[in-house]
Amino acid sequence: MDLTQLIIRNTLRRRLRSLLTIVGIAVALFAFTMIRTLIQAWHAGVEASAKDRLITRNATSLVFYLPLSYQEKIARVSGVERVGRANWFGGEYKEERFNFDQFAIDENWLDVYPEFKFSPEARQAFLEDRRGALIGRDVANKYQLKVGDTVQIKGTIFPGLWEFTVRGIMEGRDAKTITRILLFNWDYLNERNKTELNRESDQPGIFVIQLKSGANPAVVAKEIDQLFANSYAETLTETETAFQQSFVSMSGAIITTLNVVSGVVVLIILLVLANTMFMAVRERYREYSILKAIGFKRRQLRTLIFGEALLLVSGGLILLALFLIPIFLLPPEKILGPLNVFFPIFTLAPSTILLVLVVATVLGAVSAAIPYSDIARARVTDGLRRLG
Amino acid sequence: MSLVFTYSLRHLLTRKTTAFLTVIGIALVVFVFVATLMLSQGLKETLAGTGSSENVIVVRSGAQNEMMSGIAREAANALLAEPEVARVGDQPLATSDSVVLVSLKKRGSAEPSNVTIRGVGEQALSVRPQVRLTAGRNFTPGSREVLVGKAIHDGFSGTEIGQKIRLFGTEWEVVGLFDGGRSAFNSEIWGDVNAFMPTFKRDQFSSLLFKLAPGVDFAKLKPRLENDKRYQVSVMRENDFYAAQSDFLATFIRIIGGFISVVFSLGAVIGAMITMYAAVASRVREIGILRAIGFRRRAVFVAFVLECLMISLVGGVLGVALASLMSFVAFSTTNFSTFAEVAFDFTLTPSIVVWGLGFSLLMGLVGGALPARAASRLKVLDAIRQAG
Amino acid sequence: MKEQDLTGQTLITVNHLTKSYTRAAEKLEVLHDVSVTVQSGEFVALMGPSGSGKTTLLNIVAGLDAPDSGEVIVAGEKIATFSEDQLADWRAQNVGFIFQFYNLLPVLTALENVSLPLSLLPMSKQEREERARFALEVVGLADRHKHFPAQLSGGQEQRVAIARAIVSDPKILVADEPTGDLDRSTATDILELLRKLNQEYKKTILMVTHDPAAAEYASRRLHLDKGRVVD
């Protein structure tokens, strides 16, 4: 009988305990995986961002806008390929806010964001229709919208009822692109601001900038901000990645908490495993002593004990996989339920899988270490004296 | 039945390591559970505790928060002249506020946060009695002086009395500190609305706040004001308004906290089950003797459940004690609804302590039930024949 | 403890008892049509080779097991058809147990172990303690009442077990190889104690043993072989 067989037999001896341990590990690893995936999902905007795009906004805060005249000035800065403008609209659709991003944009914006793919006809139709809208694939699917349909949005920042006609559906370039988006013509927003709403007009919220290839983002950003320093509307220009990251950091406290919690999960796994290994070794103390008396070396004893821990961990991982596979085959809305508004993308990243594997293995080793060292050091005669 | 108690307790003490590991596992779960409840409670008390039910807040019709709301001066003056508004002398006991967000860097963080800047009227401190000046003095009307809320003072550098904050390209001097108790106002900076509005380049107020005149029926006042075409406003009790702004965040915390607690508790229950099954397995002979003497199956069941409850209760007390330490931790994050930074803390209430302990007992009950049942169902003769 | 002055009256009647077990899909008949009567105040040694059914008979009479068919009447009660709970209650009131080893609960002191059966009977805490102390005196271990089983020798453990067996003043004492694990001189002490309980206190004792020397202490020997009474 070789060691592997012995390891397996030992684990099967206390079938119920082994099963419970495996389930416990799987449950805790499940929590760990979901929390880490949630933290990852929080960074979806960062993941989708580009380092060669800059965002210029009012340095005071996003609540303040910028003069339209800035756009040409920015376009003339060296390193800038093109500049687009946008306003965050943030209206209510079907009585819910935050279902999808809504932006009022100009034509340049479409070229700054090539990851949204749609036909030239759709582009033409959109630009020609003042009240046209382009919607992302996610939105089209969720609300079963097709080209030609009307979308009615109740404005919150810009009050009133806003009706748009869908002129095109945009596909994302890859899985990272967030297609939970609706775009409409900036001119329409501006027009209504001027005529109906008596609000400040000619004020984009942000400028989106595409850099010429080879241009240094930090240098260009600084130059742009220099242009408007000491004016009433000072600007803050940063890479899109930094811009998205700042949103994530706004919930920094929550993310830290989640990180702490995922650490606690790891502890719990360790406790369950350590408990089991402790009991397993203790009840077989005499047996292990006999093995040593027969001539087993420490190395083999170590293989037995660590092997058992790793076998349990493997069982937990397999059970975990059985859980995770069906869950992550579902679309995010089904997984997250009401939380889906915050997280349009929710996928299991390979890095998370790797992390889980590493953590599980390390925990297995740690949980076996103390009971092993205990028996490794013990004298054979002491062990034999113990009953069972 | 004190003998049953003694029996269970003594057995616990003979298996110290295992019991200890299980206790820690339960303590961790209770800690996370109670901390989540404390966070929810803190959020509720802060945001829901903001504002008084005797005050009425007026925002533009359909606005979800003060930032996106706008009320013209003439409309504001006319509304505040309504009879239902309480008066001090011939002035309305009211404040017309202008609210914006400004990006400021937090202490010890590279990332900026959105701080609420509120331009207030002269009566601000009278209408909001929960806010008290704790140092320095009130701002001089018309000047570039500001008051800083406690949470902002604690969390952001450069906010001591005498220091200057740079806003909109100009410098504003901190002349006083205020404490808003457990309210969102603690996360704000206040200044004279007449000094701020030209700087914000706004000509409309964000909100009006007035105290109800004695004997006014709010239920009648609300539709009257909302239907008045001159105003185009939404009207709410001040505390209800702020409570509604915590909905998203509160839901978010509740869902994530709920998920974590449920999954964690499964892990802890499994840990307890493993421990108890082991306990039963090692005492089969003893159980046989007890049953032979005449103890009924139920007595055996109770003894083991009691043992598990003891473990879980100790774990529960430990978990609650650890969680109570979180009261010293300040939590500050961005409120999803307003985009503004809001500080709240972990609040422990007697009811939460009860929930925490109850939860631990529940875990002990569930974890101990199956093993205890197995113990009670052992056949007497089989049990006796076991050699120890 | 009252002297059982029912000496001479029939205490235990067993009629046409049969019992079989199924092991590995084979049916083993352990008792075949066994009928026995025991008078109050007897000290009966149940003897026979391994597999003779003596322990099974003891278990049935003690209410630990139920026969497949037949009658068991102890002190006027027909216990053969009692439910598990009824048997438990009945044992608490009528039977005292002495096993071969591991009699005592390791986490309880000698006094606590002895008072265990009393917690199943209605009486005050004070009365329980008095009776437990008295039982320990009878077996000569009153000074060890605070000791845990780990601190007692094998013989002392058995004596504490005997004290526990008599503390509730049961109608019968049942002992399964009580001296099997003890050396000769300790065994003698235990057997002397049992004889004393039988002769001075008139306790009815049923003892399973394969040791002829132990059987000498009994007033009557009952032999079983292959599930039948032989004589």
Side-chain angles (χ1 to χ4, degrees), chain B residues 1-4 6-8 10-12 14 283 285-299 376-381 384-388, chain C residues 21 55-56 59 64-65 84-89 91-93 95 97 99-109 112-113 115-117 119-120 125 148 164:
Chain B
M1 265 284 141
S2 68
L3 208 53
V4 177
T6 312
Y7 173 74
S8 299
R10 298 245 188 100
H11 263 295
L12 256 189
T14 59
R283 310 214 295 251
R285 167 92 191 183
E286 245 182 71
I287 294 170
I289 293 177
L290 284 172
R291 299 265 289 120
I293 292 177
F295 283 89
R296 289 199 187 188
R297 281 170 297 187
R298 190 171 330 146
S376 71
R377 282 164 135 241
L378 286 171
K379 290 213 162 51
V380 186
L381 286 179
I384 295 178
R385 282 193 201 116
Q386 276 276 51
Chain C
Y21 290 111
T55 303
T56 308
N59 286 341
L64 281 178
D65 201 358
E84 277 238 39
D85 277 353
Q86 283 173 313
L87 281 175
D89 291 342
R91 288 197 301 271
Q93 288 172 359
V95 186
F97 286 91
F99 300 104
Q100 184 175 356
F101 42 53
Y102 296 127
N103 267 291
L104 307 178
L105 271 52
V107 296
L108 299 180
T109 62
E112 286 166 345
N113 264 294
S115 54
L116 216 45
S119 46
L120 294 166
K125 190 165 167 211
F148 286 94
R164 183 188 67 203

Side-chain angles (χ1 to χ4, degrees), chain B residues 86-166:
Chain B
R87 309 199 94 72
V88 164
D90 60 344
Q91 291 294 336
L93 187 52
T95 172
S96 304
D97 291 355
S98 182
V99 181
V100 300
L101 293 179
V102 164
S103 220
L104 294 175
K105 280 220 169 63
K106 255 171 142 158
R107 244 187 251 271
S109 163
E111 299 291 344
S113 308
N114 287 332
V115 175
T116 304
I117 310 285
R118 183 183 293 272
V120 300
E122 282 174 30
Q123 309 271 16
L125 289 170
S126 315
V127 187
R128 296 192 172 102
Q130 69 188 149
V131 176
R132 294 159 321 143
L133 210 53
T134 52
R137 57 173 173 81
N138 201 351
F139 56 78
T140 317
S143 66
R144 290 214 167 107
E145 295 175 347
V146 291
L147 304 176
V148 172
K150 186 165 186 298
I152 301 299
H153 173 253
D154 291 344
F156 292 75
S157 52
T159 53
E160 300 295 338
I161 295 184
Q163 290 190 303
K164 297 202 196 323
I165 306 177
R166 191 178 172 80

Side-chain angles (χ1 to χ4, degrees), chain A residues 84-149:
Chain A
R85 69 183 97 111
N87 273 83
W88 166 266
F89 189 70
E92 248 181 56
Y93 180 65
K94 292 200 194 294
E95 310 208 340
E96 275 177 36
R97 294 171 71 195
F98 307 132
N99 299 5
F100 46 89
D101 297 341
Q102 300 146 22
F103 287 104
I105 53 148
D106 67 347
E107 189 176 351
N108 278 345
W109 193 102
L110 293 172
D111 296 318
V112 176
Y113 282 87
E115 57 257 54
F116 293 108
K117 303 223 165 300
F118 47 96
S119 66
E121 294 82 49
R123 185 189 174 111
Q124 192 73 3
F126 168 68
L127 290 172
E128 281 173 6
D129 180 2
R130 210 113 232 248
R131 297 191 193 196
L134 290 171
I135 60 177
R137 171 50 62 194
D138 238 355
V139 178
N141 286 349
K142 187 168 177 187
Y143 299 102
Q144 276 121 38
L145 294 169
K146 3 174 245 319
V147 174
D149 283 347

Side-chain angles (χ1 to χ4, degrees), chain B residues 379 381-382 385, chain C residues 18-31 56 65-66 68:
Chain B
K379 290 213 162 51
L381 286 179
D382 293 338
R385 282 193 201 116
Chain C
T18 57
K19 179 75 186 177
S20 52
Y21 290 111
T22 326
R23 184 188 294 189
E26 255 193 69
K27 190 169 167 188
L28 298 159
E29 277 221 346
V30 182
L31 291 176
T56 308
D65 201 358
D68 292 341

Side-chain angles (χ1 to χ4, degrees), chain A residues 35-321:
Chain A
I35 292 173
R36 295 237 62 88
T37 304
L38 194 66
I39 295 177
Q40 193 110 26
W42 221 300
H43 290 79
V46 176
E47 292 291 310
S49 66
K51 287 221 176 66
D52 63 347
R53 269 199 296 252
L54 299 178
I55 309 277
T56 298
R57 53 157 150 156
N58 191 313
T60 307
S61 82
L62 279 168
V63 156
F64 293 93
Y65 298 158
L66 295 167
L68 185 56
S69 58
Y70 281 18
Q71 191 161 359
E72 318 176 305
K73 296 191 183 139
I74 294 174
R76 284 187 291 222
V77 172
S78 69
V80 172
E81 175 74 34
R82 68 170 60 86
V83 189
R85 69 183 97 111
N87 273 83
W88 166 266
F89 189 70
E92 248 181 56
Y93 180 65
K94 292 200 194 294
E95 310 208 340
E96 275 177 36
R97 294 171 71 195
F98 307 132
N99 299 5
F100 46 89
D101 297 341
Q102 300 146 22
F103 287 104
I105 53 148
D106 67 347
E107 189 176 351
N108 278 345
W109 193 102
L110 293 172
D111 296 318
V112 176
Y113 282 87
E115 57 257 54
F116 293 108
K117 303 223 165 300
F118 47 96
S119 66
E121 294 82 49
R123 185 189 174 111
Q124 192 73 3
F126 168 68
L127 290 172
E128 281 173 6
D129 180 2
R130 210 113 232 248
R131 297 191 193 196
L134 290 171
I135 60 177
R137 171 50 62 194
D138 238 355
V139 178
N141 286 349
K142 187 168 177 187
Y143 299 102
Q144 276 121 38
L145 294 169
K146 3 174 245 319
V147 174
D149 283 347
T150 312
V151 174
Q152 228 185 44
I153 298 183
K154 186 168 153 207
T156 52
I157 307 172
F158 304 95
L161 214 51
W162 297 71
E163 259 186 32
F164 304 102
T165 312
V166 178
R167 292 292 170 201
I169 296 180
M170 304 183 292
E171 308 291 338
R173 174 175 55 196
D174 53 40
K176 284 198 183 146
T177 313
I178 301 174
T179 56
R180 192 187 284 193
I181 192 168
L182 179 146
L183 304 170
F184 66 95
N185 284 303
W186 192 85
D187 290 334
Y188 179 42
L189 175 71
N190 205 27
E191 189 185 287
R192 266 180 83 159
N193 266 347
K194 269 192 203 150
T195 55
E196 280 176 44
L197 301 174
N198 260 325
R199 287 179 67 103
E200 300 288 334
S201 54
D202 293 340
Q203 298 216 328
I206 56 172
F207 292 109
V208 299
I209 296 153
Q210 184 172 53
L211 293 173
K212 290 202 166 88
S213 70
N216 184 328
V219 167
V220 177
K222 202 156 173 211
E223 230 185 282
I224 294 175
D225 290 338
Q226 282 288 69
L227 276 180
F228 308 110
N230 297 320
S231 69
Y232 170 71
E234 288 182 344
T235 58
L236 175 60
T237 307
E238 51 193 350
T239 63
E240 194 190 5
T241 307
F243 179 71
Q244 292 290 349
Q245 182 62 44
S246 68
F247 285 101
V248 176
S249 307
M250 286 202 276
S251 298
I254 295 183
I255 294 182
T256 305
T257 305
L258 287 176
N259 272 316
V260 167
V261 167
S262 68
V264 171
V265 175
V266 168
L267 266 180
I268 292 184
I269 299 173
L270 184 59
L271 286 172
V272 170
L273 249 182
N275 199 8
T276 297
M277 288 313 299
F278 174 76
M279 286 193 278
V281 172
R282 194 181 57 174
E283 72 194 13
R284 292 182 224 140
Y285 211 84
R286 184 153 196 260
E287 278 171 47
Y288 287 135
S289 303
I290 293 176
L291 286 177
K292 277 168 84 169
I294 293 178
F296 269 62
K297 293 196 270 287
R298 281 205 198 160
R299 193 165 25 101
Q300 284 148 322
L301 215 57
R302 188 171 56 211
T303 308
L304 271 181
I305 297 178
F306 279 81
E308 188 170 338
L310 287 174
L311 187 61
L312 290 172
V313 163
S314 308
L317 285 171
I318 292 174
L319 191 57
L320 174 69

Side-chain angles (χ1 to χ4, degrees), chain B residues 326-346:
Chain B
M326 295 302 285
S327 315
F328 297 111
V329 175
F331 198 83
S332 189
T333 189
T334 304
N335 185 355
F336 302 142
S337 294
T338 60
F339 225 48
E341 183 86 1
V342 63
F344 47 103
D345 48 15
F346 292 87

Side-chain angles (χ1 to χ4, degrees), chain B residues 99-280:
Chain B
V99 181
V100 300
L101 293 179
V102 164
S103 220
L104 294 175
K105 280 220 169 63
K106 255 171 142 158
R107 244 187 251 271
S109 163
E111 299 291 344
S113 308
N114 287 332
V115 175
T116 304
I117 310 285
R118 183 183 293 272
V120 300
E122 282 174 30
Q123 309 271 16
L125 289 170
S126 315
V127 187
R128 296 192 172 102
Q130 69 188 149
V131 176
R132 294 159 321 143
L133 210 53
T134 52
R137 57 173 173 81
N138 201 351
F139 56 78
T140 317
S143 66
R144 290 214 167 107
E145 295 175 347
V146 291
L147 304 176
V148 172
K150 186 165 186 298
I152 301 299
H153 173 253
D154 291 344
F156 292 75
S157 52
T159 53
E160 300 295 338
I161 295 184
Q163 290 190 303
K164 297 202 196 323
I165 306 177
R166 191 178 172 80
L167 304 168
F168 320 103
T170 49
E171 306 225 304
W172 299 70
E173 186 181 341
V174 179
V175 298
L177 303 177
F178 65 85
D179 186 337
R182 319 257 352 267
S183 73
F185 298 127
N186 266 344
S187 305
E188 296 184 353
I189 296 179
W190 288 9
D192 184 353
V193 65
N194 293 317
F196 272 138
M197 275 174 77
T199 315
F200 297 164
K201 290 238 174 107
R202 302 224 161 159
D203 57 359
Q204 295 198 332
F205 294 119
S206 304
S207 65
L208 310 175
L209 183 73
F210 64 84
K211 183 156 179 195
L212 281 171
V216 170
D217 183 356
F218 179 72
K220 292 212 176 76
L221 178 61
K222 180 175 157 82
R224 184 162 93 65
L225 290 178
E226 287 180 348
N227 291 330
D228 193 327
K229 292 269 188 295
R230 287 176 294 168
Y231 303 139
Q232 306 278 358
V233 293
S234 293
V235 165
M236 286 177 90
R237 285 192 204 266
E238 190 187 12
N239 54 344
D240 290 338
F241 179 74
Y242 287 108
Q245 291 188 337
S246 70
D247 271 350
F248 264 126
L249 193 53
T251 305
F252 185 81
I253 291 178
R254 208 178 42 238
I255 292 181
I256 296 206
F259 168 77
I260 292 175
S261 296
V262 165
V263 176
F264 274 33
S265 65
L266 277 178
V269 162
I270 288 175
M273 274 174 85
I274 293 175
T275 301
M276 290 314 297
Y277 269 117
V280 171

